Amino acid sequence: MFNMFKGFEKKTGVKMDSVMKLANSVKDANFKDEATVRDLIQRVSKLANRKIPKQKEDQLVQTILSGKTPKDLGEIKKMMDDKK
């Protein structure tokens, strides 16, 4: 498990403790609330040091609010590949 975390950190440049803190801070979040969802997207963007265009943020918010979020990593990867 430790090697997996180190591999993630090396590949992304994001420390696992930062990811865990973020995950813990939203574990009881209301994902039907637009402000909460936007805040999470912006926090993830900042953590990953990636700017998310407003149009992409709006699209992510609508996807999450509608409940049409991917159920596993394979679906997420496919969604990201389709968007390129």
Side-chain angles (χ1 to χ4, degrees):
M1 184 71 98
F2 180 74
N3 287 336
M4 183 177 73
F5 289 160
K6 284 296 181 188
F8 173 85
E9 289 177 354
K10 185 177 180 182
K11 185 174 182 176
T12 65
V14 178
K15 297 287 185 190
M16 279 308 298
D17 65 322
S18 297
V19 172
M20 298 307 272
K21 285 178 187 176
L22 178 62
N24 285 330
S25 74
V26 298
K27 67 180 179 182
D28 295 322
N30 177 4
F31 290 101
K32 296 293 183 188
D33 175 61
E34 183 175 339
T36 300
V37 172
R38 284 192 187 279
D39 178 64
L40 176 60
I41 291 168
Q42 291 166 3
R43 289 169 59 193
V44 169
S45 172
K46 185 176 179 180
L47 181 68
N49 199 27
R50 297 277 172 100
K51 176 130 176 67
I52 296 180
K54 178 76 168 121
Q55 182 179 8
K56 178 61 86 175
E57 180 181 318
D58 291 344
Q59 183 181 28
L60 289 167
V61 168
Q62 290 309 310
T63 298
I64 293 168
L65 291 177
S66 70
K68 296 179 182 174
T69 55
K71 303 297 183 225
D72 63 41
L73 291 176
E75 287 183 49
I76 293 170
K77 183 177 182 331
K78 184 175 185 255
M79 186 173 97
M80 296 304 289
D81 289 343
D82 289 346
K83 302 297 180 194
K84 289 183 179 177

PDB file of all heavy atoms in Angstrom, residues 7-30:
ATOM      1  N   GLY A   7       3.921   5.930  -5.420  1.00  0.00           N
ATOM      2  CA  GLY A   7       3.767   6.016  -6.873  1.00  0.00           C
ATOM      3  C   GLY A   7       2.792   7.110  -7.268  1.00  0.00           C
ATOM      4  O   GLY A   7       3.027   7.862  -8.210  1.00  0.00           O
ATOM      5  N   PHE A   8       1.700   7.208  -6.512  1.00  0.00           N
ATOM      6  CA  PHE A   8       0.712   8.260  -6.758  1.00  0.00           C
ATOM      7  C   PHE A   8       1.346   9.628  -6.560  1.00  0.00           C
ATOM      8  O   PHE A   8       1.168  10.522  -7.391  1.00  0.00           O
ATOM      9  CB  PHE A   8      -0.480   8.079  -5.805  1.00  0.00           C
ATOM     10  CG  PHE A   8      -1.476   9.207  -5.868  1.00  0.00           C
ATOM     11  CD1 PHE A   8      -2.470   9.206  -6.832  1.00  0.00           C
ATOM     12  CD2 PHE A   8      -1.410  10.262  -4.969  1.00  0.00           C
ATOM     13  CE1 PHE A   8      -3.391  10.249  -6.893  1.00  0.00           C
ATOM     14  CE2 PHE A   8      -2.318  11.299  -5.028  1.00  0.00           C
ATOM     15  CZ  PHE A   8      -3.310  11.293  -5.992  1.00  0.00           C
ATOM     16  N   GLU A   9       2.072   9.794  -5.457  1.00  0.00           N
ATOM     17  CA  GLU A   9       2.718  11.074  -5.171  1.00  0.00           C
ATOM     18  C   GLU A   9       3.717  11.447  -6.257  1.00  0.00           C
ATOM     19  O   GLU A   9       3.769  12.599  -6.700  1.00  0.00           O
ATOM     20  CB  GLU A   9       3.413  11.028  -3.808  1.00  0.00           C
ATOM     21  CG  GLU A   9       2.449  11.006  -2.647  1.00  0.00           C
ATOM     22  CD  GLU A   9       3.136  10.899  -1.298  1.00  0.00           C
ATOM     23  OE1 GLU A   9       4.381  10.736  -1.247  1.00  0.00           O
ATOM     24  OE2 GLU A   9       2.427  10.985  -0.283  1.00  0.00           O
ATOM     25  N   LYS A  10       4.496  10.471  -6.702  1.00  0.00           N
ATOM     26  CA  LYS A  10       5.504  10.730  -7.730  1.00  0.00           C
ATOM     27  C   LYS A  10       4.847  11.126  -9.047  1.00  0.00           C
ATOM     28  O   LYS A  10       5.283  12.064  -9.716  1.00  0.00           O
ATOM     29  CB  LYS A  10       6.384   9.500  -7.922  1.00  0.00           C
ATOM     30  CG  LYS A  10       7.523   9.718  -8.887  1.00  0.00           C
ATOM     31  CD  LYS A  10       8.407   8.493  -8.982  1.00  0.00           C
ATOM     32  CE  LYS A  10       9.548   8.734  -9.967  1.00  0.00           C
ATOM     33  NZ  LYS A  10      10.378   7.560 -10.121  1.00  0.00           N
ATOM     34  N   LYS A  11       3.789  10.426  -9.410  1.00  0.00           N
ATOM     35  CA  LYS A  11       3.121  10.673 -10.686  1.00  0.00           C
ATOM     36  C   LYS A  11       2.359  11.999 -10.690  1.00  0.00           C
ATOM     37  O   LYS A  11       2.357  12.711 -11.691  1.00  0.00           O
ATOM     38  CB  LYS A  11       2.171   9.530 -11.000  1.00  0.00           C
ATOM     39  CG  LYS A  11       1.521   9.633 -12.357  1.00  0.00           C
ATOM     40  CD  LYS A  11       0.710   8.394 -12.670  1.00  0.00           C
ATOM     41  CE  LYS A  11       0.116   8.500 -14.064  1.00  0.00           C
ATOM     42  NZ  LYS A  11      -0.602   7.302 -14.441  1.00  0.00           N
ATOM     43  N   THR A  12       1.719  12.331  -9.573  1.00  0.00           N
ATOM     44  CA  THR A  12       0.851  13.510  -9.547  1.00  0.00           C
ATOM     45  C   THR A  12       1.487  14.738  -8.918  1.00  0.00           C
ATOM     46  O   THR A  12       1.044  15.852  -9.149  1.00  0.00           O
ATOM     47  CB  THR A  12      -0.441  13.218  -8.762  1.00  0.00           C
ATOM     48  OG1 THR A  12      -0.113  12.966  -7.390  1.00  0.00           O
ATOM     49  CG2 THR A  12      -1.205  12.063  -9.375  1.00  0.00           C
ATOM     50  N   GLY A  13       2.484  14.521  -8.064  1.00  0.00           N
ATOM     51  CA  GLY A  13       3.065  15.643  -7.329  1.00  0.00           C
ATOM     52  C   GLY A  13       2.214  16.070  -6.145  1.00  0.00           C
ATOM     53  O   GLY A  13       2.463  17.104  -5.534  1.00  0.00           O
ATOM     54  N   VAL A  14       1.203  15.285  -5.827  1.00  0.00           N
ATOM     55  CA  VAL A  14       0.293  15.591  -4.720  1.00  0.00           C
ATOM     56  C   VAL A  14       0.572  14.625  -3.581  1.00  0.00           C
ATOM     57  O   VAL A  14       0.609  13.416  -3.784  1.00  0.00           O
ATOM     58  CB  VAL A  14      -1.181  15.472  -5.165  1.00  0.00           C
ATOM     59  CG1 VAL A  14      -2.121  15.735  -4.011  1.00  0.00           C
ATOM     60  CG2 VAL A  14      -1.469  16.407  -6.333  1.00  0.00           C
ATOM     61  N   LYS A  15       0.778  15.159  -2.390  1.00  0.00           N
ATOM     62  CA  LYS A  15       1.045  14.329  -1.215  1.00  0.00           C
ATOM     63  C   LYS A  15      -0.225  13.613  -0.763  1.00  0.00           C
ATOM     64  O   LYS A  15      -1.308  14.205  -0.741  1.00  0.00           O
ATOM     65  CB  LYS A  15       1.576  15.185  -0.052  1.00  0.00           C
ATOM     66  CG  LYS A  15       2.893  15.855  -0.348  1.00  0.00           C
ATOM     67  CD  LYS A  15       3.991  14.847  -0.331  1.00  0.00           C
ATOM     68  CE  LYS A  15       5.340  15.507  -0.512  1.00  0.00           C
ATOM     69  NZ  LYS A  15       6.390  14.548  -0.719  1.00  0.00           N
ATOM     70  N   MET A  16      -0.091  12.346  -0.414  1.00  0.00           N
ATOM     71  CA  MET A  16      -1.242  11.558   0.029  1.00  0.00           C
ATOM     72  C   MET A  16      -1.883  12.128   1.280  1.00  0.00           C
ATOM     73  O   MET A  16      -3.106  12.066   1.413  1.00  0.00           O
ATOM     74  CB  MET A  16      -0.847  10.095   0.257  1.00  0.00           C
ATOM     75  CG  MET A  16      -0.789   9.270  -1.009  1.00  0.00           C
ATOM     76  SD  MET A  16      -2.255   9.330  -2.066  1.00  0.00           S
ATOM     77  CE  MET A  16      -3.496   8.646  -1.017  1.00  0.00           C
ATOM     78  N   ASP A  17      -1.094  12.712   2.174  1.00  0.00           N
ATOM     79  CA  ASP A  17      -1.714  13.284   3.372  1.00  0.00           C
ATOM     80  C   ASP A  17      -2.638  14.438   2.999  1.00  0.00           C
ATOM     81  O   ASP A  17      -3.684  14.626   3.618  1.00  0.00           O
ATOM     82  CB  ASP A  17      -0.669  13.693   4.415  1.00  0.00           C
ATOM     83  CG  ASP A  17       0.246  14.811   3.958  1.00  0.00           C
ATOM     84  OD1 ASP A  17       0.636  14.843   2.784  1.00  0.00           O
ATOM     85  OD2 ASP A  17       0.587  15.661   4.814  1.00  0.00           O
ATOM     86  N   SER A  18      -2.324  15.178   1.952  1.00  0.00           N
ATOM     87  CA  SER A  18      -3.200  16.258   1.485  1.00  0.00           C
ATOM     88  C   SER A  18      -4.490  15.686   0.908  1.00  0.00           C
ATOM     89  O   SER A  18      -5.581  16.222   1.149  1.00  0.00           O
ATOM     90  CB  SER A  18      -2.504  17.097   0.417  1.00  0.00           C
ATOM     91  OG  SER A  18      -1.369  17.734   0.943  1.00  0.00           O
ATOM     92  N   VAL A  19      -4.370  14.595   0.169  1.00  0.00           N
ATOM     93  CA  VAL A  19      -5.552  13.939  -0.409  1.00  0.00           C
ATOM     94  C   VAL A  19      -6.437  13.403   0.708  1.00  0.00           C
ATOM     95  O   VAL A  19      -7.663  13.574   0.687  1.00  0.00           O
ATOM     96  CB  VAL A  19      -5.141  12.799  -1.372  1.00  0.00           C
ATOM     97  CG1 VAL A  19      -6.354  11.997  -1.830  1.00  0.00           C
ATOM     98  CG2 VAL A  19      -4.372  13.354  -2.559  1.00  0.00           C
ATOM     99  N   MET A  20      -5.823  12.789   1.701  1.00  0.00           N
ATOM    100  CA  MET A  20      -6.596  12.227   2.815  1.00  0.00           C
ATOM    101  C   MET A  20      -7.295  13.321   3.619  1.00  0.00           C
ATOM    102  O   MET A  20      -8.449  13.161   4.019  1.00  0.00           O
ATOM    103  CB  MET A  20      -5.693  11.382   3.720  1.00  0.00           C
ATOM    104  CG  MET A  20      -5.092  10.179   2.995  1.00  0.00           C
ATOM    105  SD  MET A  20      -6.314   9.155   2.177  1.00  0.00           S
ATOM    106  CE  MET A  20      -6.733   8.073   3.505  1.00  0.00           C
ATOM    107  N   LYS A  21      -6.617  14.435   3.843  1.00  0.00           N
ATOM    108  CA  LYS A  21      -7.237  15.555   4.554  1.00  0.00           C
ATOM    109  C   LYS A  21      -8.445  16.066   3.785  1.00  0.00           C
ATOM    110  O   LYS A  21      -9.490  16.341   4.364  1.00  0.00           O
ATOM    111  CB  LYS A  21      -6.229  16.686   4.765  1.00  0.00           C
ATOM    112  CG  LYS A  21      -5.224  16.407   5.849  1.00  0.00           C
ATOM    113  CD  LYS A  21      -4.236  17.550   5.972  1.00  0.00           C
ATOM    114  CE  LYS A  21      -3.116  17.201   6.937  1.00  0.00           C
ATOM    115  NZ  LYS A  21      -2.090  18.254   7.012  1.00  0.00           N
ATOM    116  N   LEU A  22      -8.292  16.210   2.470  1.00  0.00           N
ATOM    117  CA  LEU A  22      -9.404  16.665   1.641  1.00  0.00           C
ATOM    118  C   LEU A  22     -10.556  15.666   1.697  1.00  0.00           C
ATOM    119  O   LEU A  22     -11.708  16.050   1.888  1.00  0.00           O
ATOM    120  CB  LEU A  22      -8.951  16.873   0.194  1.00  0.00           C
ATOM    121  CG  LEU A  22     -10.042  17.302  -0.783  1.00  0.00           C
ATOM    122  CD1 LEU A  22     -10.629  18.656  -0.396  1.00  0.00           C
ATOM    123  CD2 LEU A  22      -9.493  17.351  -2.190  1.00  0.00           C
ATOM    124  N   ALA A  23     -10.249  14.399   1.560  1.00  0.00           N
ATOM    125  CA  ALA A  23     -11.285  13.360   1.604  1.00  0.00           C
ATOM    126  C   ALA A  23     -12.024  13.376   2.941  1.00  0.00           C
ATOM    127  O   ALA A  23     -13.259  13.295   2.976  1.00  0.00           O
ATOM    128  CB  ALA A  23     -10.667  11.990   1.350  1.00  0.00           C
ATOM    129  N   ASN A  24     -11.292  13.500   4.030  1.00  0.00           N
ATOM    130  CA  ASN A  24     -11.925  13.546   5.346  1.00  0.00           C
ATOM    131  C   ASN A  24     -12.791  14.785   5.522  1.00  0.00           C
ATOM    132  O   ASN A  24     -13.817  14.744   6.196  1.00  0.00           O
ATOM    133  CB  ASN A  24     -10.875  13.476   6.451  1.00  0.00           C
ATOM    134  CG  ASN A  24     -10.315  12.086   6.619  1.00  0.00           C
ATOM    135  OD1 ASN A  24     -10.987  11.095   6.364  1.00  0.00           O
ATOM    136  ND2 ASN A  24      -9.066  11.996   7.041  1.00  0.00           N
ATOM    137  N   SER A  25     -12.381  15.888   4.906  1.00  0.00           N
ATOM    138  CA  SER A  25     -13.131  17.135   5.074  1.00  0.00           C
ATOM    139  C   SER A  25     -14.462  17.120   4.316  1.00  0.00           C
ATOM    140  O   SER A  25     -15.346  17.915   4.626  1.00  0.00           O
ATOM    141  CB  SER A  25     -12.289  18.338   4.627  1.00  0.00           C
ATOM    142  OG  SER A  25     -12.191  18.405   3.220  1.00  0.00           O
ATOM    143  N   VAL A  26     -14.613  16.226   3.342  1.00  0.00           N
ATOM    144  CA  VAL A  26     -15.853  16.194   2.558  1.00  0.00           C
ATOM    145  C   VAL A  26     -16.643  14.904   2.730  1.00  0.00           C
ATOM    146  O   VAL A  26     -17.636  14.700   2.036  1.00  0.00           O
ATOM    147  CB  VAL A  26     -15.575  16.432   1.054  1.00  0.00           C
ATOM    148  CG1 VAL A  26     -14.965  17.787   0.826  1.00  0.00           C
ATOM    149  CG2 VAL A  26     -14.742  15.332   0.453  1.00  0.00           C
ATOM    150  N   LYS A  27     -16.249  14.066   3.673  1.00  0.00           N
ATOM    151  CA  LYS A  27     -16.917  12.764   3.788  1.00  0.00           C
ATOM    152  C   LYS A  27     -18.401  12.881   4.139  1.00  0.00           C
ATOM    153  O   LYS A  27     -19.186  12.032   3.766  1.00  0.00           O
ATOM    154  CB  LYS A  27     -16.197  11.853   4.779  1.00  0.00           C
ATOM    155  CG  LYS A  27     -16.253  12.286   6.199  1.00  0.00           C
ATOM    156  CD  LYS A  27     -15.517  11.305   7.081  1.00  0.00           C
ATOM    157  CE  LYS A  27     -15.551  11.768   8.518  1.00  0.00           C
ATOM    158  NZ  LYS A  27     -14.828  10.873   9.373  1.00  0.00           N
ATOM    159  N   ASP A  28     -18.809  13.954   4.796  1.00  0.00           N
ATOM    160  CA  ASP A  28     -20.224  14.146   5.123  1.00  0.00           C
ATOM    161  C   ASP A  28     -20.822  15.316   4.341  1.00  0.00           C
ATOM    162  O   ASP A  28     -21.857  15.856   4.716  1.00  0.00           O
ATOM    163  CB  ASP A  28     -20.385  14.396   6.627  1.00  0.00           C
ATOM    164  CG  ASP A  28     -19.986  13.183   7.451  1.00  0.00           C
ATOM    165  OD1 ASP A  28     -20.274  12.051   7.023  1.00  0.00           O
ATOM    166  OD2 ASP A  28     -19.374  13.362   8.527  1.00  0.00           O
ATOM    167  N   ALA A  29     -20.176  15.695   3.249  1.00  0.00           N
ATOM    168  CA  ALA A  29     -20.622  16.846   2.458  1.00  0.00           C
ATOM    169  C   ALA A  29     -21.931  16.542   1.732  1.00  0.00           C
ATOM    170  O   ALA A  29     -22.218  15.403   1.386  1.00  0.00           O
ATOM    171  CB  ALA A  29     -19.553  17.243   1.448  1.00  0.00           C
ATOM    172  N   ASN A  30     -22.684  17.602   1.489  1.00  0.00           N
ATOM    173  CA  ASN A  30     -23.937  17.504   0.745  1.00  0.00           C
ATOM    174  C   ASN A  30     -23.632  17.730  -0.741  1.00  0.00           C
ATOM    175  O   ASN A  30     -23.487  18.863  -1.180  1.00  0.00           O
ATOM    176  CB  ASN A  30     -24.934  18.545   1.250  1.00  0.00           C
ATOM    177  CG  ASN A  30     -26.224  18.542   0.473  1.00  0.00           C
ATOM    178  OD1 ASN A  30     -26.439  17.715  -0.412  1.00  0.00           O
ATOM    179  ND2 ASN A  30     -27.099  19.478   0.782  1.00  0.00           N
TER     180      ASN A  30
END
